[in-house]
Amino acid sequence: MITMDDIIREGNPTLREVAKEVSLPPTEEEVKLGREMLEFLKNSQDPVKAEELQLRGGVGLAAPQLDISKRIAAVHVPDSDPEKTEPVFSAVMYNPKIVSHSVQDACLAEGEGCLSVDREVPGYVVRHARVTVSYYDENGEKHKVRLKNYEAIVVQHEIDHLNGVMFYDYINEKNPFSLEKGVLVIE
């Protein structure tokens, strides 16, 4: 089981490396890792388990954050409607790639956070409002999904981890809350 102790923090060189592609289909070890990453996210979103296991809440986790330089990312985005128990998007993605994206950009009103960053980093992180992502599942089958708004931002954040990019690399240092015209701000 993955805990916060397994997650490396900013400053660790693995977070700045471009992760290696996974051979397909993924090995048993890679499948187990992906499942554990998804389990971590689900546990971190469960108030009782999160407190019991001392987990910070997360919606995405990339293998490089576990000091494993492989192109594996897990995402589990719950529905904002508490009545709905099914997540909006949940997947373990092997070798995910953004194959197309919108012209329109978006950012989260509250900025972004990261399990590998133990500090608040104020500022807008501008990303694509919509993306089409291709990835492989644990059976080596290819999937293509279209995501928008929050889910799109979460997946872009995780794919950035696979490319050695941190979310705060996008924040305007001089004016962290400046936005160009037309950027969608997601509440």
Side-chain angles (χ1 to χ4, degrees):
M1 179 187 287
I2 295 170
T3 67
M4 290 304 295
D5 292 339
D6 299 306
I7 296 172
I8 60 174
R9 303 306 201 272
E10 61 182 324
N12 185 306
T14 304
L15 291 172
R16 289 300 189 174
E17 291 173 11
V18 174
K20 293 168 198 65
E21 292 260 320
V22 174
S23 301
L24 297 166
T27 64
E28 276 182 45
E29 189 181 299
E30 290 162 342
V31 168
K32 182 176 179 282
L33 174 65
R35 289 177 180 169
E36 286 180 357
M37 289 164 63
L38 193 59
E39 180 191 29
F40 170 89
L41 295 174
K42 290 176 181 176
N43 288 341
S44 82
Q45 293 172 22
D46 176 320
V48 175
K49 284 186 179 165
E51 188 174 343
E52 178 190 318
L53 301 168
Q54 299 286 293
L55 305 179
R56 273 178 46 203
V59 288
L61 184 64
Q65 292 179 273
L66 301 168
D67 213 4
I68 299 167
S69 193
K70 289 185 179 183
R71 299 187 81 79
I72 305 170
V75 175
H76 188 76
V77 181
D79 199 300
S80 55
D81 179 347
E83 298 292 305
K84 296 184 178 168
T85 54
E86 285 300 304
V88 180
F89 182 64
S90 184
V92 176
M93 302 180 289
Y94 295 88
N95 301 336
K97 278 189 184 76
I98 295 172
V99 291
S100 66
H101 61 80
S102 60
V103 173
Q104 184 177 31
D105 285 334
C107 66
L108 300 179
E110 295 178 1
E112 290 184 23
C114 178
L115 294 167
S116 292
V117 179
D118 291 330
R119 61 191 172 100
E120 288 273 321
V121 185
Y124 289 132
V125 180
V126 179
R127 301 182 179 278
H128 307 299
R130 292 178 301 287
V131 291
T132 300
V133 177
S134 73
Y135 67 92
Y136 294 88
D137 64 20
E138 64 179 38
N139 301 313
E141 289 176 29
K142 190 171 188 174
H143 296 264
K144 201 169 176 180
V145 291
R146 294 175 69 153
L147 303 166
K148 63 181 187 176
N149 302 340
Y150 186 67
E151 303 86 78
I153 285 173
V154 170
V155 169
Q156 289 172 82
H157 178 115
E158 297 316 316
I159 290 175
D160 273 347
H161 274 305
L162 306 180
N163 294 321
V165 177
M166 299 294 283
F167 76 92
Y168 49 71
D169 296 347
Y170 294 98
I171 297 173
N172 179 330
E173 281 184 37
K174 290 187 179 72
N175 192 347
F177 291 99
S178 71
L179 284 178
E180 289 188 13
K181 197 173 175 195
V183 174
L184 175 68
V185 179
I186 300 165
E187 294 299 327

